[in-house]
Amino acid sequence: MKKIFKYTLPVLIACPMMLAACSEWTESESITLRYPSIEEQNPELYAQYLKSLNNFKTSEHSIVIVSMNNLSTPPANQSQHLTALPDSVDYICLNNIFDVNKMHITEMDKVRKKGTKVLGLINFDAIESTWQAILEKEAEDASNTETSEKENELESEDETPDEDPAIADARRFIEYCKKETARQLDAINALGTDGIVINFTGFDLNSLLQDEEKTAAETARQGAFFNLLAEWKVAHADKELIFKGSPQNVIGKEILVESKYIIVNAHSAKNLYEMSYLVLMASAKGVPTDRFIMGVTTPYLSNMGDQYGMVNGKSAIVAAAEWTLQEVTDYIKAGISVDGVEQDYFYFNPAKVYPNVREAINILSPTAK
């Protein structure tokens, strides 16, 4: 031992000296370690895996749809990569369709090899919310000046001074909605997705009963949105259309018949009973009942401080999978949809990625990975 120490000690002393000398010659460089993927290590085995995965997705099984709040900037971590999602996911919906980064465009083709389809969000709720903000801004401007510049810019040429402001706003919304819907569809076409997810909440149509004038107004309002989508579907018969929101509030139920799946938004559900109640509410006359998807979210707090994404003290993602397996006779449960899926990547456990989504997949399809 002493002999070993005798020869080792001078080396240990010399090392810092050598490092110090080297630092005077060159700058240190970081080394990027690259590990070969399974595809590179065994291409034949990976090809067999892809074939099996694609066969699974074309077979009858519980569908898993996820939506991602994709950033316009390149992914900063794995939670922002499409390729990091579990392979068994059937659909990935990109919520930001106007500014998709190049990395995601590349990854769209990669996940398609796994049988995963990429969709884009067409959002009526966002159009309506933005329009309300415009009206609020106009009202604020009008309260500050008798003749606001904003009012003059938005005033239609055929609008008369005596026109009812409510009627004028309704007519202006129809034009605004058509413009924004067309803009979203143009973005979808340019992106080249495999289809669209239509997000529409609306309001309870029972409030329109026996009021022909209000019914006609709401029909025109919804038509500004859904008519363009129906035309898009005819022109893109090979693309898929999925409805999301409150189908019972749609006047023209034809668009629901064209939808492959109907996602019932259950972000507010606190237990499995409430999930079932929301589906029963959605099962209005004219709504197909053979394609319901339970729509949940990763946990978040609303602006009012309400907690969403938790059911019976656990993740709503897992609860939705358990709900899907409960047999019913009135309608068909086709699977689950998860909003904000990127938030589940770590979920307080860096050692296990997408833990709730993976657990849900295992519940729905134990043989899937």
Side-chain angles (χ1 to χ4, degrees):
M1 176 64 80
K2 291 182 178 180
K3 185 175 182 180
I4 295 174
F5 185 80
K6 175 181 178 181
Y7 290 102
T8 304
L9 182 61
V11 174
L12 294 175
I13 295 174
C15 281
M17 297 173 63
M18 293 170 65
L19 290 174
C22 288
S23 66
E24 296 177 0
W25 301 334
T26 60
E27 293 291 335
S28 61
E29 297 181 0
S30 62
I31 299 176
T32 301
L33 298 178
R34 182 181 180 280
Y35 298 98
S37 64
I38 298 176
E39 181 179 5
E40 294 171 324
Q41 291 179 21
N42 195 327
E44 183 178 351
L45 183 62
Y46 186 70
Q48 293 176 4
Y49 168 72
L50 288 182
K51 182 178 180 181
S52 176
L53 186 61
N54 278 269
N55 288 339
F56 165 73
K57 291 187 180 180
T58 56
S59 67
E60 185 176 346
H61 66 285
S62 294
I63 299 298
V64 176
I65 303 170
V66 300
S67 73
M68 173 182 290
N69 298 312
N70 54 297
L71 303 177
S72 58
T73 54
N77 56 61
Q78 284 297 305
S79 69
Q80 298 172 17
H81 282 279
L82 307 186
T83 51
L85 285 159
D87 291 349
S88 296
V89 166
D90 295 281
Y91 296 91
I92 302 172
C93 178
L94 301 179
N95 292 340
N96 171 21
I97 59 175
F98 292 112
D99 194 8
V100 180
N101 67 74
K102 292 182 179 179
M103 179 63 75
H104 281 159
I105 293 175
T106 299
E107 291 183 344
M108 285 169 61
D109 288 332
K110 292 183 178 180
V111 297
R112 283 179 177 131
K113 293 179 180 179
K114 303 174 183 178
T116 301
K117 295 182 179 180
V118 182
L119 311 173
L121 181 66
I122 303 295
N123 199 342
F124 178 86
D125 290 3
I127 293 174
E128 192 173 42
S129 177
T130 303
W131 177 249
Q132 289 302 316
I134 291 174
L135 293 181
E136 290 173 6
K137 181 64 168 59
E138 290 179 5
E140 181 181 350
D141 291 344
S143 66
N144 295 330
T145 178
E146 291 183 2
T147 307
S148 70
E149 182 179 351
K150 188 69 174 179
E151 287 176 325
N152 292 333
E153 291 177 356
L154 294 176
E155 188 176 42
S156 302
E157 293 181 359
D158 59 343
E159 182 178 335
T160 62
D162 297 330
E163 185 176 20
D164 186 330
I167 295 176
D169 287 344
R171 179 168 51 78
R172 289 169 55 209
F173 172 76
I174 288 175
E175 295 306 314
Y176 176 80
C177 184
K178 288 179 179 179
K179 178 182 176 181
E180 288 302 304
T181 304
R183 190 168 75 95
Q184 291 185 23
L185 289 173
D186 286 344
I188 287 291
N189 294 335
L191 188 57
T193 66
D194 302 302
I196 59 176
V197 173
I198 304 171
N199 185 52
F200 177 88
T201 300
F203 61 87
D204 187 359
L205 296 180
N206 289 323
S207 62
L208 303 179
L209 292 178
Q210 299 180 347
D211 192 324
E212 294 183 1
E213 185 175 342
K214 289 184 179 181
T215 300
E218 179 61 15
T219 300
R221 198 176 79 100
Q222 292 192 19
F225 180 67
F226 287 115
N227 289 348
L228 289 179
L229 297 177
E231 292 174 5
W232 178 89
K233 179 57 179 171
V234 171
H236 300 82
D238 59 325
K239 304 288 186 179
E240 295 194 17
L241 188 156
I242 295 175
F243 180 90
K244 177 181 181 181
S246 302
Q248 68 271 30
N249 296 336
V250 178
I251 292 178
K253 300 293 195 294
E254 297 83 3
I255 196 70
L256 301 174
V257 177
E258 291 293 327
S259 300
K260 187 167 185 177
Y261 300 106
I262 296 175
I263 302 173
V264 177
N265 191 342
H267 287 198
S268 61
K270 300 300 181 185
N271 52 58
L272 302 189
Y273 171 79
E274 288 186 15
M275 289 183 176
S276 296
Y277 174 76
L278 290 170
V279 173
L280 290 174
M281 289 293 292
S283 304
K285 183 179 179 180
V287 176
T289 58
D290 60 346
R291 60 197 74 176
F292 282 130
I293 297 279
M294 179 50 58
V296 294
T297 178
T298 52
Y300 72 91
L301 288 175
S302 70
N303 294 333
M304 302 298 293
D306 297 322
Q307 174 74 59
Y308 294 105
M310 298 297 293
V311 172
N312 293 332
K314 62 182 175 182
S315 169
I317 302 171
V318 176
E322 294 173 345
W323 174 88
T324 302
L325 293 187
Q326 293 182 347
E327 294 185 4
V328 293
T329 58
D330 299 329
Y331 53 87
I332 293 177
K333 301 176 178 181
I336 68 172
S337 173
V338 181
D339 287 335
V341 69
E342 69 278 4
Q343 299 299 324
D344 191 52
Y345 183 82
F346 292 117
Y347 198 71
F348 309 116
N349 184 5
K352 189 176 182 181
V353 301
Y354 290 115
N356 295 301
V357 173
R358 292 186 183 280
E359 183 176 351
I361 291 173
N362 188 58
I363 292 171
L364 294 171
S365 305
T367 59
K369 301 296 181 183

